[in-house]
Amino acid sequence: MQWDIFCRVVDNFGDIGVSWRLARALALHSQQGVRLFVDDWETLRRLLPSVPAAPAPFVVSGVEVQPWVLAERSPSVAACVIEAFACELPPACLAAMRASTPPPVWINLEYLSAEDWIEECHGLPSPDPATGLPKIFFFPGFTARSGGLIREPEVLARRDAAQEPDGRRNWLADYGCAEVSASAQWMSLFAYDNPQLAHRLRDWQVSDTPIVLWVPEGTAWRGLAHWLGASLAEGHCQQYGALTVSALPFLPMDDYDRLLAVCDVNFVRGEDSFVRAQWAARPFVWQAYPQADAVHVEKMNAFLRRYLQTADAATAAVVEAMWRDWNGAGTQEDAWVGFQNALPVLRRHARQWCDQLAATDGLVDRLVKMVQPDVK
Ligand code: TRH
């Protein structure tokens, strides 16, 4: 069976990050033909540096990656068409889909949410006004009645390897600098502009425990530069009291996953890094993509209700305080101290949560079962 995934990059990295992970997981899982059409080759290359500079069809990890224009010029219809995040397919593809017998299964991949309402909408078809073809809405999520989470077959094994005793040594061999101690508390930072960052940096500077903060290139550099009073460049690695700041390049995706696995705490954002932090099975703080009318706070609360269901009241309180503070939903001066003190418990909790998620079908299994119900 042939799968076509269409992705337009609206902003940031999440659209292509999720689409690429899905394409790779589908190719690995089902050994079926997978093509990924993408309109922003440069952003794809940031995640996958092995992709050649000139946009042209290219096979990587079993996925045929294609520039978007090729779908516009010579559309061919796959048995299953996945439209990522309602990105609107090229008119030529829509026409070819309408003319094809039988028509393809057409899936709209939605944004991940922990909210209850997605269960009612997951898997529902809706007629597309332009073509009359049914489009099925697929909602990734955390429950059995949702579309699940993308989990490539080897993701947990790769995490376990990175968390072996030599995992940090290997990381330091690739990205380390003399100032970094392998035994410090390691944290990664991937964030949108965040006024709370300055407060946290102050906390970390006076921490009793030495802290190393790994910061891949991106928006968080701006906040850091403001706090440092100097611009930041790749390779910047310097100590500020108990805090060592290490500025990394924007990492190839698999190295970003490795960073999450070797850190004690991960600050993540958006959708894809949020999921990867959960597979890393380490305590994490999520910055939800900021939306008008504090919609993102609702999303955060919906996730926390699930994530903290089995946590005791004291543990739940420190996580809630830290996450609310980080998402601008209620400042709490001692949010970090409480969170840091609870880290041993939070680490066990993160592992339990990850194991619980990993015991259920991943998104690709659920997708294949929906599209090919007869396949065992
Ligand atoms: O980049 P994001 O903010 O993307 C967001 C979300 O997807 C959000 O839901 C969407 O509405 C908005 O974009 C438009 O965060 P996200 O989802 O975590 O995607 C980041 C991707 O970048 C993820 O696949 C991990 C990858 N990454 C690297 O490969 N290397 C790096 O160094 C870093 C920091 C990230």
Side-chain angles (χ1 to χ4, degrees), residues 6 8 68-77 88-100 131:
F6 288 84
R8 281 189 212 259
W68 186 273
V69 286
L70 294 188
E72 279 167 343
R73 272 189 220 139
S74 50
S76 63
V77 181
E88 292 189 8
L89 303 181
C93 288
L94 291 176
M97 283 162 65
R98 200 171 32 199
S100 132
T131 58

Side-chain angles (χ1 to χ4, degrees), residues 10-15 17-18 21 46-47 111 190 192 216-217 249-253 256 269-274 289:
V10 178
D11 63 0
N12 299 331
F13 302 98
D15 305 302
V18 170
R21 299 240 198 231
R46 307 263 334 258
L47 274 58
Y111 288 105
F190 180 43
Y192 305 112
E217 194 224 314
F250 189 85
L251 297 166
M253 195 182 233
Y256 180 63
R269 72 183 205 189
E271 174 162 334
D272 189 55
S273 56
F274 170 51
Y289 184 71

Side-chain angles (χ1 to χ4, degrees), residues 224-280:
L224 264 168
H226 186 72
W227 185 75
L228 299 174
S231 63
L232 216 64
E234 194 184 310
H236 172 106
C237 189
Q238 212 168 316
Q239 225 175 313
Y240 306 89
L243 172 67
T244 302
V245 173
S246 174
L248 296 168
F250 189 85
L251 297 166
M253 195 182 233
D254 290 345
D255 273 359
Y256 180 63
D257 288 351
R258 184 154 67 106
L259 175 64
L260 296 176
V262 294
C263 282
D264 300 298
V265 181
N266 293 302
F267 286 76
V268 290
R269 72 183 205 189
E271 174 162 334
D272 189 55
S273 56
F274 170 51
V275 173
R276 304 317 280 193
Q278 294 170 62
W279 296 138

Side-chain angles (χ1 to χ4, degrees), residues 7-91:
C7 170
R8 281 189 212 259
V9 176
V10 178
D11 63 0
N12 299 331
F13 302 98
D15 305 302
I16 187 60
V18 170
S19 301
W20 163 249
R21 299 240 198 231
L22 172 60
R24 179 169 66 172
L26 201 49
L28 284 171
H29 170 285
S30 59
Q31 311 281 305
Q32 294 171 338
V34 180
R35 294 190 300 183
L36 171 63
F37 293 92
V38 57
D39 71 338
D40 181 345
W41 203 254
E42 268 316 299
T43 303
L44 173 69
R45 289 190 69 230
R46 307 263 334 258
L47 274 58
L48 290 181
S50 64
V51 170
F58 178 76
V59 178
V60 52
S61 305
V63 177
E64 195 180 324
V65 184
Q66 301 235 11
W68 186 273
V69 286
L70 294 188
E72 279 167 343
R73 272 189 220 139
S74 50
S76 63
V77 181
C80 181
V81 173
I82 299 176
E83 179 179 346
F85 312 120
C87 68
E88 292 189 8
L89 303 181

Side-chain angles (χ1 to χ4, degrees), residues 128-190:
D128 170 60
T131 58
L133 295 175
K135 179 148 74 162
I136 299 169
F137 287 79
F138 191 98
F139 281 85
F142 298 90
T143 60
R145 290 177 58 207
S146 74
L149 301 172
I150 298 173
R151 191 178 76 233
E152 309 89 293
E154 78 292 358
V155 64
L156 303 179
R158 280 176 34 216
R159 175 209 57 202
D160 290 343
Q163 291 178 349
E164 287 290 314
D166 61 355
R168 283 195 172 186
R169 269 200 305 279
N170 293 340
W171 178 265
L172 288 174
D174 293 340
Y175 293 105
C177 62
E179 289 77 3
V180 168
S181 151
S183 60
Q185 180 179 303
W186 283 18
M187 308 205 294
S188 74
L189 176 64
F190 180 43

